[in-house]
């Protein structure tokens, strides 16, 4: 069992791709398994923090981007960054949404990362990292998961 949280109005914020300058409409998604004593988990606050950061900068987060966190995901957690991914654990139709006004909004899944995993993405790029995700198949909903072997 897992729980998911998502932003619902970020798509209204004018964001641009930092690589192409093209307009981007996004909604953010965070998922985790409930943890005893912290049933809501960190994602309501984390999504709010990331959305505010994006709105302030005006830059979209793109697939493969790493977002360093100002503190661990939870107290004592080794998860210190977020990885922008396609929501591959969901149906393909969930990757983007066409809104009532015809605006196309992409759904960005923010996956918690260990520091070494974030450094791997920065050094080798997102295709190499996603290949490791496929090979090692970690439980990305587990906020206490061990670090992948990289």
């Amino acid at each position: 069992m897992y729980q998911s949280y998502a932003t619902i109005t970020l798509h209204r914020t004018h964001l641009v791709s930092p690589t192409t300058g093209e307009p981007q409409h996004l909604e953010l998604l965070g998922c985790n398994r409930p943890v005893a004593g912290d049933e809501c988990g960190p994602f309501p606050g984390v999504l709010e923090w990331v959305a505010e950061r994006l709105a302030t900068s005006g830059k979209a987060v793109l697939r493969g981007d790493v977002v360093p966190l100002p503190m661990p995901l939870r107290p004592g957690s080794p998860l210190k960054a977020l990885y922008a991914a396609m929501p591959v654990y969901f149906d393909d139709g969930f990757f983007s949404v066409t809104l009532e006004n015809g605006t196309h909004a992409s759904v960005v899944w923010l996956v918690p990362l260990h520091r070494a995993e974030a450094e791997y993405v920065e050094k080798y790029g997102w295709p190499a990292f996603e290949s490791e995700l496929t090979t090692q198949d970690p439980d990305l909903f587990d906020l206490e998961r061990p670090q992948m072997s990289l």
Side-chain angles (χ1 to χ4, degrees):
M1 182 175 136
Y2 65 91
Q3 54 196 11
S4 300
Y5 296 93
T7 57
I8 57 172
T9 58
L10 182 60
H11 70 273
R12 296 179 187 159
T13 303
H14 178 72
L15 300 173
V16 296
S17 166
T19 56
T20 66
E22 295 291 317
Q24 299 286 311
H25 301 279
L26 305 177
E27 293 297 346
L28 306 175
L29 174 69
C31 307
N32 64 275
R33 294 193 190 293
V35 176
D38 186 17
E39 283 72 22
C40 288
F43 278 108
V46 168
L47 293 178
E48 180 180 11
W49 179 81
V50 174
E52 286 177 11
R53 185 173 178 246
L54 296 179
T56 299
S57 72
K59 293 184 178 154
V61 63
L62 304 176
R63 180 182 185 186
D65 285 349
V66 172
V67 179
L69 294 170
M71 62 186 67
L73 192 62
R74 295 182 346 184
S77 172
L79 301 170
K80 302 187 188 276
L82 301 168
Y83 176 74
M86 295 173 62
V88 295
Y89 284 8
F90 297 85
D91 293 337
D92 289 352
F94 196 72
F95 289 9
S96 65
V97 178
T98 302
L99 304 169
E100 60 277 349
N101 64 359
T103 301
H104 200 73
S106 297
V107 177
V108 178
W109 179 23
L110 297 176
V111 177
L113 295 183
H114 290 262
R115 183 182 319 258
E117 295 166 346
E119 291 169 356
Y120 186 90
V121 175
E122 297 293 337
K123 185 173 183 178
Y124 298 105
W126 67 265
F129 180 69
E130 290 192 7
S131 178
E132 288 295 332
L133 286 174
T134 300
T135 301
Q136 297 187 38
D137 194 26
D139 182 355
L140 299 178
F141 295 153
D142 183 358
L143 299 182
E144 298 174 357
R145 72 175 174 84
Q147 178 177 300
M148 293 188 336
S149 299
L150 299 171

